[in-house]
């Protein structure tokens, strides 16, 4: 399958369904929308968790100049939570599951002229579809929230290529499997398989005969030795393209290209090995939600999250809690070398037969869709934190191994002594729940968790979370405790020989149901907030970077003398850094030198704890300074002001240019700072945003500053895009202050894609 049309523009949306919508529009009620789309934009907090639960309608016209000669295939990357597809009033099919890709052949329902494509979308929490049926600690939203693609294919086409291979003694043997869809007679075809490197240069090519059956089927190719290739690993994530050209005697049937990387995954009781090299997992869980739009954020936002996790946060692993995530996100994980623990949808509850059926379909869909991602190193095929159901999980495990013998399986429990049917025992462990500094037991040991005496592959997939909900505007004390909890747990994980590593709950704050979170429909469990602004805990990961790559030095204080409980002044605080040592100057006294703290000896770059107060309450407070040293030289300086005042509003955009011909979005971050650059976390103020040109603000254009920041996304308006090179503008004012308005220019470009 090649050259699809990105079929995202000009849908008619109704927040309800009526039978006659299958065949005609009611222009009075329709709202013109582009995808990705959410059935209802929500406020940031304090909405009802039922607001997106509805049966809605999406309709779009497909105009054909003549009777379809080719096959017309629609692919939906993600529609929450299930839908029926109608073309010209006739039912084509239905799909259950809000996180799985679906594909429909609409040829027979189409004719020359105008055709009406309609989706009846059910975003209610139906008990026959995971993760629903009981309670869930996250919002699932609703609508066509990922892309839609229209393909024109021949009678026979390749719907997917699973780039299977063996890798032994550094040598690769290719044996791709083709998933085919053939409306004609069975035939003998020839496949030409080409392996291309990252520059598109041919590395190897060969031909084979294959038998293509009638209907949907698969062609397994014979092993072809390719020899030594550059392997994919998290530090050097080298990628190749496998191109498969299917030929019949009268010409090319189809061409299909997939990107992949070559590596081995081996999960042993001693830990995780990629290409034989051990990697200690240090990761974070990711929910795919964003403020206001929920899940409906496109390619760029998905990619950005993967970059943030790997490049800013410096984690080596992400868990796609608790469902299959965007292919854009996974593609970027492949590119940046971020290992992915991929999971099926579900949360603590196993429903009836219908539910189990969809769950098994999800396992299959996850593996077939994500098979070629080298970053994905494990399939998590249990419903997160569900109890044992051996019959179901034996089936799920056998299904996963049958589809993919190259990756291990796991399932995430919170219980001990669960039956280990998969390859790896994964545990959510919130033992360390009050951050008592004297506590020595931070999590369960392997045997205590598994109930097994023999060592088995074992890892922890969640910690922190509800144990330390932390808001960006909490006291420095609280934010430091949050960071310290991360440092302690990560340290212990690094020292443990029993576990492959640990994944924290979680990367970003997220919207949730009233049953969970802080009562405002937000779980403040992230090391970053919903706008991806880092809290101090983020720097526990970030400071583990190699200092030759980047120096990191983040003190967990804004240097205020009256913000800590217990009559403590500025200290205790931490400096999260990869410097060799630091020097702290306070109260105008001589610098005091501090070294990485031996209590975190498991970490490559232990935090530095400053526990003593260098002065007393009666001393005159002075400007302060922290200097970081690496290889004997000062490499980082952070100054703090005694008389800290609002000095500036810093405005930065993640991207300087956007695509104008589909809905593209980027984040704008506004930071309130003083003269020395310290973020004014308790600043109360209001930002007003204006835009010029073909862009608009997502969410409100007047917003409060919180935690010293105000952030938002802007998106392009493809309907009004002419391709002109006139840049769009974002103007930000901090109301009722003397700070001058800030302007950012965003260039709008053509994507080069076929968009319709
Ligand atoms: C876990 C659950 C997560 C999240 C977390 C909060 O039990 O798997 O989804 O709810 O608790 O601490």
């Amino acid at each position: 399958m090649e050259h699809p049309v990105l079929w995202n523009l000009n849908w008619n949306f109704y927040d309800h369904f009526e039978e006659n919508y299958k065949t005609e529009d009611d222009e009075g009620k329709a709202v013109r929308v582009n995808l990705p789309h959410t059935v209802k934009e929500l406020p940031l907090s304090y909405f009802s968790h039922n607001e997106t639960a509805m049966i809605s309608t999406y309709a779009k016209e497909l105009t054909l100049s003549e009777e379809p000669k080719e096959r017309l295939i629609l692919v939906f990357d993600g529609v929450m939570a299930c839908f029926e597809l109608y073309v010209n009033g006739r039912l084509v099919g239905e799909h259950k599951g809000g996180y799985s890709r679906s594909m429909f052949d609409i040829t027979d329902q189409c004719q020359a002229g105008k055709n009406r494509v309609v989706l009846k979308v059910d975003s209610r929490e139906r008990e026959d579809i995971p993760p629903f049926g009981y309670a869930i600690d996250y919002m699932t939203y609703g609508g066509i929230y990922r892309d839609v693609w229209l393909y024109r294919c021949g009678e026979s086409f390749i719907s997917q290529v699973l780039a299977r291979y063996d890798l032994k003694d550094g040598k690769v043997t290719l044996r791709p499997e083709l998933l085919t869809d053939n409306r004609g007679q069975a035939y003998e075809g020839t496949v030409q398989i080409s392996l291309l490197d990252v520059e598109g240069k041919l590395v190897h090519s060969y031909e084979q005969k294959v038998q293509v059956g009638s209907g949907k089927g698969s062609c397994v190719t014979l092993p072809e030795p390719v020899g030594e290739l550059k392997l994919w690993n998290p530090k050097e994530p080298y990628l190749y393209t496998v191109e498969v050209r299917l030929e019949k005697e009268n010409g090319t049937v189809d061409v299909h290209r997939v990107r992949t990387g070559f590596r081995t995954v081996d999960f042993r009781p001693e830990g995780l090995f990629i290409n034989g090299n051990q990697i200690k997992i240090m990761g974070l869980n990711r929910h795919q939600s964003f403020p206001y739009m929920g899940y409906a954020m496109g390619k760029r936002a998905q990619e950005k999250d993967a970059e943030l996790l790997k490049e800013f946060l410096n984690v080596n692993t992400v868990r796609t809690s608790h469902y299959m995530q965007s292919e854009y996100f996974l593609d970027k994980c492949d590119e940046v070398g971020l290992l992915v623990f991929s999971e099926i949808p579900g949360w603590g509850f196993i429903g009836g037969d219908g539910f189990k059926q969809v769950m098994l379909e999800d396992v299959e869909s996850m593996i077939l869709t994500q098979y070629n991602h080298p970053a994905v190193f494990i399939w998590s095929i249990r419903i997160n934190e569900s109890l044992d159901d051996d019959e179901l999980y034996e089936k799920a495990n056998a299904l996963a191994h049958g589809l993919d013998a190259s990756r291990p399986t796991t399932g995430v429990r919170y219980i001990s002594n669960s039956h280990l049917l998969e390859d790896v025992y994964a545990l959510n462990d919130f033992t360390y729940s009050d951050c008592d500094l004297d506590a020595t037991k931070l999590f369960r040991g392997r045997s205590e968790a598994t109930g097994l005496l023999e060592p088995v592959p074992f890892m922890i997939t969640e910690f922190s979370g509800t144990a330390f909900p932390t808001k960006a505007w909490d006291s420095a004390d609280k934010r430091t405790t949050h960071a310290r909890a991360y440092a302690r747990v990560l340290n212990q994980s690094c020292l443990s020989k029993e576990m492959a590593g640990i994944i924290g709950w979680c990367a970003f704050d997220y919207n949730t149901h009233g049953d969970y979170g802080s009562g405002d429909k937000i779980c403040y469990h992230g090391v970053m907030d919903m706008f991806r602004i880092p809290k101090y805990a983020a720097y526990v990961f970030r400071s583990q970077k190699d200092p030759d790559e980047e120096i990191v030095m983040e003190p967990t204080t804004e240097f205020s003398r009256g913000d800590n409980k217990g009559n403590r002044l500025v200290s205790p605080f931490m400096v999260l850094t990869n410097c060799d040592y630091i020097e702290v100057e306070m109260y105008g006294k001589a610098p005091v030198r501090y070294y990485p703290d031996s209590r975190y000896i498991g970490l490559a770059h232990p935090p530095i704890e400053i526990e003593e107060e260098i002065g007393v309450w009666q001393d005159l407070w002075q400007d302060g300074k922290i200097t970081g040293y690496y290889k004997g030289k000062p490499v980082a300086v952070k100054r703090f002001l005694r008389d800290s005042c609002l000095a500036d509003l810093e405005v930065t955009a993640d991207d300087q240019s956007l695509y104008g011909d589909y809905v593209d979005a980027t984040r704008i971050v506004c930071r309130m700072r003083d003269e020395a650059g310290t973020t004014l976390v308790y600043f109360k103020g209001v930002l007003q945003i204006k835009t010029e040109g073909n862009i608009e603000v997502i969410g409100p254009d007047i917003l409060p500053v919180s935690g010293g920041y105000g952030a938002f996304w802007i998106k392009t308006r493809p309907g009004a895009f002419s391709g002109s090179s006139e840049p769009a503008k974002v103007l930000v004012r901090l109301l009722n202050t003397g700070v001058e308005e800030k302007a950012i220019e965003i260039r709008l470009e053509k994507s080069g894609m076929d968009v319709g």
Side-chain angles (χ1 to χ4, degrees):
M1 294 174 85
E2 280 201 301
H3 311 308
V5 179
L6 176 61
W7 221 49
N8 277 5
L9 303 185
N10 299 320
W11 288 78
N12 270 351
F13 172 71
Y14 304 83
D15 63 3
H16 57 283
F17 173 77
E18 285 176 23
E19 274 304 313
N20 57 314
Y21 292 164
K22 288 183 190 168
T23 49
E24 62 192 357
D25 268 317
D26 180 342
E27 291 297 345
K29 292 186 188 160
V31 182
R32 203 30 91 91
V33 302
N34 298 315
L35 308 180
H37 182 257
T38 178
V39 290
K40 186 160 186 210
E41 283 190 31
L42 294 172
L44 191 60
S45 58
Y46 287 113
F47 48 79
S48 159
H49 54 220
N50 291 322
E51 284 180 50
T52 51
M54 62 178 83
I55 298 183
S56 59
T57 312
Y58 288 83
K60 182 169 158 76
E61 219 163 67
L62 171 64
T63 307
L64 301 173
S65 52
E66 52 182 350
E67 283 288 311
K69 289 209 181 71
E70 57 224 329
R71 292 177 70 183
L72 297 164
I73 308 291
L74 279 179
V75 174
F76 298 89
D77 283 349
V79 180
M80 184 58 70
C82 69
F83 66 94
E84 289 168 8
L85 174 68
Y86 296 88
V87 173
N88 295 328
R90 281 185 282 159
L91 179 68
V92 181
E94 71 166 337
H95 180 74
K96 288 184 183 177
Y99 303 98
S100 47
R101 188 178 256 186
S102 55
M103 185 184 282
F104 297 89
D105 183 340
I106 59 168
T107 322
D108 291 346
Q109 289 79 14
C110 286
Q111 65 214 14
K114 286 184 178 168
N115 296 277
R116 184 171 170 75
V117 175
V118 172
L119 272 79
K120 177 182 176 188
V121 176
D122 191 350
S123 53
R124 296 169 307 166
E125 301 191 356
R126 289 169 38 159
E127 53 185 36
D128 57 335
I129 301 176
F132 308 123
Y134 193 57
I136 26 171
D137 173 22
Y138 52 97
M139 284 289 295
T140 55
Y141 312 94
I144 311 181
Y145 74 90
R146 288 184 187 152
D147 292 336
V148 177
W149 303 93
L150 173 65
Y151 287 85
R152 293 182 156 83
C153 301
E155 185 183 61
S156 170
F157 67 89
I158 306 169
S159 59
Q160 169 68 311
V161 168
L162 307 174
R164 299 190 190 277
Y165 61 89
D166 298 306
L167 174 54
K168 247 197 187 146
D169 304 326
K171 297 208 169 104
V172 173
T173 303
L174 270 182
R175 44 181 184 84
E177 178 180 350
L178 285 58
L179 304 187
T180 51
D181 189 330
N182 175 21
R183 272 181 85 154
Q185 301 286 315
Y187 62 93
E188 184 180 73
T190 307
V191 275
Q192 288 173 5
I193 299 173
S194 310
L195 182 68
L196 310 165
D197 70 10
V198 86
E199 273 109 34
K201 274 199 239 125
L202 187 67
V203 176
H204 188 87
S205 74
Y206 61 102
E207 249 185 45
Q208 272 182 25
K209 293 275 178 229
V210 284
Q211 303 303 319
V212 181
S214 198
K216 288 189 178 147
S218 122
C219 302
V220 177
T221 58
L222 298 172
E224 166 82 6
V226 177
E228 279 183 19
L229 293 173
K230 283 193 190 157
L231 300 188
W232 184 96
N233 71 66
K235 285 216 169 90
E236 287 160 303
Y238 198 88
L239 296 167
Y240 287 88
T241 298
V242 177
E243 182 188 284
V244 176
R245 182 175 290 271
L246 179 58
E247 309 261 344
K248 225 169 152 177
E249 71 276 2
N250 47 355
T252 301
V253 173
D254 197 9
V255 182
H256 199 100
R257 287 184 191 84
V258 293
R259 202 177 61 167
T260 197
F262 300 99
R263 46 104 190 90
T264 57
V265 177
D266 196 4
F267 224 124
R268 307 180 202 151
E270 308 86 73
L272 171 67
F273 294 79
I274 302 285
N275 303 330
N277 301 317
Q278 186 160 13
I279 292 184
K280 191 83 183 188
I281 294 168
M282 206 187 262
L284 285 166
N285 283 273
R286 176 199 187 226
H287 266 308
Q288 63 174 13
S289 53
F290 290 83
Y292 318 116
M293 300 297 286
Y295 287 166
M297 292 292 278
K299 182 170 192 270
R300 195 181 296 266
Q302 303 295 330
E303 293 176 342
K304 212 50 101 184
D305 269 3
E307 281 169 3
L308 268 181
L309 282 155
K310 176 77 197 231
E311 284 155 13
F312 183 88
L313 289 168
N314 188 44
V315 299
N316 60 21
T317 306
V318 62
R319 171 170 170 233
T320 64
S321 54
H322 302 294
Y323 37 77
M324 292 85 84
Q325 301 195 356
S326 157
E327 281 296 292
Y328 297 128
F329 177 72
L330 299 180
D331 280 343
K332 195 43 96 178
C333 291
D334 290 342
E335 285 166 26
V336 297
L338 178 62
L339 292 166
V340 180
F341 179 113
S342 192
E343 182 157 282
I344 52 162
W347 205 80
F349 170 77
I350 303 173
D353 289 346
F355 176 105
K356 290 180 184 167
Q357 179 58 33
V358 180
M359 189 209 103
L360 293 170
E361 285 165 13
D362 280 336
V363 171
E364 178 166 344
S365 176
M366 169 174 75
I367 296 176
L368 295 184
T369 309
Q370 300 178 3
Y371 185 88
N372 298 317
H373 292 288
V376 175
F377 71 100
I378 198 163
W379 303 121
S380 181
I381 46 105
R382 278 185 187 230
I383 303 272
N384 170 62
E385 294 195 346
S386 56
L387 298 178
D388 281 350
D389 179 333
D390 287 1
E391 195 189 327
L392 177 65
Y393 290 139
E394 263 159 19
K395 261 194 216 159
N397 196 39
L399 176 63
H401 279 309
L403 292 166
D404 182 6
S406 75
R407 291 176 176 94
T409 58
T410 188
V412 173
R413 323 53 186 152
Y414 72 95
I415 47 168
S416 295
N417 305 325
S418 157
H419 301 159
L420 179 58
L421 309 172
E422 306 85 4
D423 303 309
V424 177
Y425 197 106
L427 178 75
N428 290 347
D429 192 331
F430 296 90
T431 302
Y432 189 41
S433 61
D434 56 4
C435 198
D436 173 0
L437 284 177
D438 298 326
T440 47
K441 179 159 177 162
L442 307 189
F443 35 74
R444 278 169 265 176
R446 175 167 55 191
S447 296
E448 186 188 354
T450 62
L452 301 169
L453 290 180
E454 71 271 19
V456 294
F458 175 66
M459 66 181 290
I460 289 183
T461 30
E462 290 182 33
F463 68 91
S464 189
T466 32
F468 303 103
T470 303
K471 303 177 186 74
W473 57 91
D474 273 336
S475 69
D477 221 12
K478 176 82 190 284
R479 286 178 284 126
T480 299
T481 305
H482 183 222
R484 187 173 288 118
Y486 264 86
R488 291 203 69 196
V489 173
L490 291 177
N491 172 62
Q492 195 98 333
S493 154
C494 289
L495 293 173
S496 163
K497 296 232 182 311
E498 292 187 341
M499 57 200 224
I502 196 158
I503 303 181
W505 188 265
C506 56
F508 317 123
D509 294 349
Y510 56 97
N511 283 135
T512 190
H513 285 68
D515 319 71
Y516 298 99
S518 295
D520 56 355
K521 309 285 160 44
I522 299 180
C523 272
Y524 296 93
H525 297 175
V527 300
M528 290 182 150
D529 72 8
M530 279 171 71
F531 296 91
R532 284 59 176 156
I533 306 288
K535 304 174 191 172
Y536 286 146
Y539 291 91
V540 177
F541 292 100
R542 187 164 162 72
S543 58
Q544 302 312 309
K545 279 197 174 189
D546 179 350
D548 286 326
E549 188 192 319
E550 189 181 351
I551 295 287
V552 178
M553 190 185 77
E554 184 74 12
T556 71
T557 176
E558 289 90 36
F559 251 49
S560 44
R561 242 196 326 179
D563 198 36
N564 284 348
K565 63 175 194 226
N567 203 21
R568 295 169 309 160
L569 305 182
V570 185
S571 59
F573 64 90
M574 293 195 288
V575 177
L576 301 165
T577 184
N578 50 8
C579 289
D580 293 335
Y581 60 87
I582 58 163
E583 286 181 353
V584 180
E585 291 168 57
M586 284 197 230
Y587 296 91
K589 297 188 177 162
V592 182
R593 186 172 286 188
Y594 295 92
Y595 291 92
D597 198 299
S598 58
R599 284 168 289 185
Y600 306 97
I601 204 73
L603 293 175
H605 302 286
I608 299 177
E609 290 272 12
I610 286 89
E611 285 164 336
E612 62 187 340
E613 193 73 21
I614 301 171
V616 295
W617 183 244
Q618 283 73 17
D619 283 344
L620 201 58
W621 192 219
Q622 296 290 330
D623 290 357
K625 190 167 140 191
I626 300 180
T627 310
Y629 290 82
Y630 179 54
K631 295 185 177 160
K633 293 206 179 86
V635 286
V637 175
K638 188 113 177 66
R639 288 193 307 120
F640 297 94
L641 302 178
R642 172 182 172 221
D643 186 16
S644 176
C645 306
L646 172 68
D648 202 10
L649 155 69
E650 228 176 58
V651 183
T652 47
D654 285 351
D655 301 276
Q656 270 65 52
S657 62
L658 289 177
Y659 292 124
D661 51 356
Y662 66 84
V663 182
D664 194 7
T666 191
R667 183 183 65 149
I668 313 279
V669 176
C670 310
R671 186 170 81 97
M672 315 310 124
R673 45 161 285 191
D674 68 10
E675 206 58 65
T678 300
T679 305
L680 306 180
V681 284
Y682 308 126
F683 181 83
K684 302 271 181 292
V686 176
L687 294 166
Q688 184 184 56
I689 330 295
K690 289 199 172 133
T691 57
E692 289 172 8
N694 266 333
I695 55 170
E696 62 189 68
V697 177
I698 296 179
D701 56 7
I702 295 198
L703 43 123
V705 175
S706 67
Y709 284 88
F712 55 93
W713 277 262
I714 48 145
K715 63 175 176 184
T716 51
R717 285 196 297 229
F721 180 64
S722 62
S724 97
S725 56
E726 187 70 11
K729 246 189 200 168
V730 184
L731 303 158
V732 186
R733 279 183 62 207
L734 183 57
L735 297 181
N736 304 324
T737 64
V739 175
E740 65 170 26
E741 181 177 81
K742 295 289 155 65
I744 291 227
E745 286 200 345
I746 307 279
R747 283 191 315 278
L748 301 183
E749 297 171 347
K750 280 190 184 164
S751 66
M753 284 207 296
D754 197 353
V755 190

